[in-house]
Each structure stands twice: as C-alpha cells, then as structure tokens.
Amino acid sequence: MKSENGACGVAPFDASLLDRLMEERGLDLLLVTSKHNVQHLLGGYRFFMFDYMDATGLSRYLPILIYRRGHPELTGYVGNPNEAYERDLGSLWPAHLDLRARGSVDAMRYAMEYVTSAGIEPSSIGVEAGFLPADAMMALQDGLPGVRLSDCVEVLEELRAIKSPAELDCLRIASEGVVDAMLATFARIEPGLAKREIVEILRQEEVRRGLTFEYCLITAGRDLNRAPSDQRIREGDILSLDSGGNYRGYIGDLCRMGILGQPSPELEDALAAIEEIQQLARRPIRQGAMGAEIFEAVAERLVRPREGKLSFVAHGMGLISHEAPRLLDDGPIPYPAAHRNRPLHTGMVLSIETTLQHPRLGFVKLEDTIAVTDDGCIGYGDGARGWNSPGR
C-alpha cells in the first residue's frame, strides 16, 4: 500500500538476503550512493534528469538510499527536488523520502538527519567507498564520529548476483539489440569509411533498437588499436566491433567480426578456433558447477603453440560489467576471484570472451553473454558468430 508520499513501502529485493549479508560483515546500516545499486534497491528506478551526468552547479547529484538491517520498513531515500515528479507517479517505494538535496554534502546531511530522527543508532555503516564523494564522506565522518565505516560494495554485489526474470529479460533484450545493431552496421560498411564513422553508424543502430549506446572498441585491418579514429577501412580488411549498449541500465556487451570481402582460409580457421573455445567454456556452465570449471574446460586450448597472443576471460554481467560472480584475479580488471571456487546459480549472468591478437591477421574476438540455467546455460544475442560482411 502506498503511503502519503506516494511510496508503497515494500522492498523490491530480497531483504532477508541483504540482512544476512550485512550481518556477516557486521553492518548495521547501509548508505548506498552508486547509481547502479540505488537503481537495484529501488526496483529499477533511475532518475531521468541525471541519467547521463552528475555535475550540477559546484557539486553533483548524489542519491542516497538508507537501509537499516532487519528493518526494510524504515528504508529512506534522499534525492533531488525534481524527483518529486517521480514520487507523485509512485515510482519510489521507500516510506521516507527527502527530496531536497541539491549537492553531495547536503544530501549526506539529510541522510544523517533521517538516521537520527528515526532513532537509528548504528555502530557500523556500510558505504560504497568508490562511489562516495570526498566531501560527502567528510560530512558523514564529522556528523557520526563514533561510527565505524566499511566498504559495502561486495555486499551489494552478492545481492545482485542472481538476476530476477525481469533483469534477465533486460539483459537478453540488450544483448540481442547490440548484435542486431552490429549486423545492420556490417551491412552498411563500405571501403573508405573511417572507424569513427562506423562507430557512429553502430550508435545510431543501437539507439534505433531502444538501447543506450555506451561504447564501441573497434579494430580494422591488421591494426590492433581499438579506439575510434580516422583510420579508413579498405577492401579485404577485417573489422571487430566490441560494444556495450544497455537496456534500462542492464548491459549487453558482445563482440562480433566483420570483413570487407571474403575471409581467407587462415582467417576462417582463426575464428573457428576462437568459436571452439567459446563453446567449450559453455559446457560446464550450469546450476551448481564451480566457476573454476569454465577455465578448466578451455585450459588445454589456451596453451597450444600458435602465432600471436591468445587470451580468455570470463566475468559477471548485469548493471555493470565485471560484477559478481567474479571468477578470475588475473584478468584485465583487478579484483579478487571470490566466486571461482564457489557454485554458480541459476540466474547468474556471465560474459565469456576469447581474443586473438595476431601480427599478420589482426584482432579476432568473440564475446558472448551467457545466463546460467538449472541444467545448462543459454546465450543471449547468440547470432552473427562468423565473418559478417555487406555481401553475406
């Protein structure tokens, strides 16, 4: 039932799981400030006005969700005055809403005011250290000097690790949209186009499919540089498009290959070898399988002698790239492999990617988005796995 401020007061996440995770870390209270975790805890809500940028005046937009362990009914939310329009539409579920904050420091002060007025006396507070501005952190330390502050990023990652059916649907739509946009882009490529022009075509195609374009890493010919640039594609060049596009905040991050012309037998063999590794990596994925089994399944293929550099990565996907489950500690993004020797669960989503950087052939890669199921896995946006070209 909605309260007078338009809120329904019912948590749209597994509050009992969050309580357990907080108890394991000795946390009494959470002050959540990252856009992605605020979105998750608010059931998908993301304030439209600051969806792209946070800066405003001399400060920044800083949403704060306040959660007390064991008491979801006391959840509070501090936001911007213009979020009153969303409140009036019933978009915000917390029973306590304070929509006065114009910057980061006053947002934190309003959050502390609520903690005090609600009679909450925490001895330990979880904050997202990488997503809390220094001035807001100082205001918190000054306002509650006797309270222990701890990073709660991993607690919130564990909460998000298993996706709901609605979240899985967002990831499927994002992934299918990215690959479909890539196919449309490959069909429009012609000699003389610059890499940055190709990326612009891809951006338009993703937006046309209802996605928010985030980035595209692109290579052309034998060059291994992946930045959009004025480099122009020529007849016979290969092309890799590795793009992130999101749907309602959930990321579709995939890579597909194209060519202006017909691939040589050597190129066919190179992409086939990468596809073999991608498929081998899927075989152990299922409810209850250990994360390490993915790497064991491809280990023999990765150590075979070959020309060029071959690499393999598997990581979690969702509201951000490289979220839980975190399966490797020696990959491109530094973090501990906390889930490598823990079982996978139905509803977890992984990115599986194999890359060959070849001195003669160029950059060859496939990246897939894989959802764990009870008896296996399913690939989202699983098409266009071969050499795509305008004539194919």
Side-chain angles (χ1 to χ4, degrees), residues 75-364:
T75 299
Y77 177 68
V78 175
N80 181 274
N82 286 325
E83 287 180 86
Y85 303 125
E86 296 279 17
R87 175 204 62 201
D88 295 344
L89 295 174
S91 302
L92 297 165
W93 72 266
H96 173 81
L97 300 176
D98 188 334
L99 306 179
R100 296 179 290 164
R102 291 291 188 177
S104 54
V105 173
D106 60 337
M108 184 56 71
R109 287 175 180 161
Y110 295 143
M112 289 188 291
E113 281 181 14
Y114 173 60
V115 170
T116 301
S117 66
I120 302 171
E121 298 180 357
S123 61
S124 61
I125 295 178
V127 299
E128 297 175 273
F131 300 91
L132 184 58
D135 56 2
M137 174 67 93
M138 288 188 288
L140 175 59
Q141 291 170 327
D142 291 343
L144 298 172
V147 177
R148 177 175 61 89
L149 303 181
S150 300
D151 196 344
C152 66
V153 168
E154 291 187 54
V155 167
L156 295 168
E157 275 212 341
E158 292 287 346
L159 180 68
R160 301 198 323 269
I162 298 175
K163 274 58 178 176
S164 69
E167 290 177 297
L168 291 172
D169 200 43
C170 287
L171 285 160
R172 177 187 58 78
I173 291 170
S175 300
E176 290 176 354
V178 167
V179 171
D180 194 41
M182 287 178 176
L183 277 173
T185 301
F186 286 133
R188 294 172 60 183
I189 291 174
E190 56 187 31
L193 280 177
K195 289 203 299 179
R196 68 174 74 256
E197 292 173 322
I198 295 170
V199 169
E200 174 58 20
I201 292 172
L202 179 63
R203 185 194 67 79
Q204 294 173 8
E205 295 290 351
E206 289 188 11
V207 170
R208 187 171 290 123
R209 287 157 177 80
L211 305 184
T212 298
F213 175 83
E214 293 196 3
Y215 63 85
C216 178
L217 297 163
I218 177 173
T219 64
R222 297 180 181 180
D223 197 324
L224 301 179
N225 188 294
R226 304 180 74 194
S229 69
D230 292 328
Q231 178 189 351
R232 300 194 176 275
I233 189 168
R234 301 171 299 179
E235 188 68 36
D237 278 353
I238 68 170
L239 190 77
S240 74
L241 298 180
D242 186 344
S243 180
N246 83 62
Y247 179 73
R248 298 182 178 176
Y250 290 85
I251 301 173
D253 180 14
L254 301 99
C255 184
R256 294 295 184 261
M257 298 300 303
I259 188 168
L260 256 181
Q262 297 298 318
S264 67
E266 193 174 13
L267 282 171
E268 293 276 22
D269 289 345
L271 190 54
I274 287 175
E275 170 71 343
E276 181 183 24
I277 294 171
Q278 290 291 102
Q279 296 302 324
L280 284 172
R282 296 187 189 198
R283 289 185 182 178
I285 299 176
R286 66 191 182 283
Q287 163 76 24
M290 296 295 175
E293 294 180 45
I294 298 171
F295 301 90
E296 293 166 1
V298 303
E300 187 272 332
R301 295 298 194 281
L302 298 179
V303 298
R304 288 181 178 179
R306 62 175 49 84
E307 185 179 2
K309 178 184 177 182
L310 185 70
S311 60
F312 173 82
V313 174
H315 59 85
M317 289 293 297
L319 283 169
I320 65 171
S321 181
H322 289 264
E323 68 177 38
R326 285 174 279 110
L327 303 174
L328 74 169
D329 54 12
D330 57 354
I333 309 297
Y335 47 69
H339 304 88
R340 191 179 181 106
N341 294 307
R342 290 164 56 180
L344 300 173
H345 295 280
T346 297
M348 286 182 169
V349 179
L350 308 174
S351 177
I352 305 294
E353 47 188 300
T354 305
T355 305
L356 174 63
Q357 298 181 66
H358 197 283
R360 292 183 296 102
L361 302 179
F363 189 93
V364 186

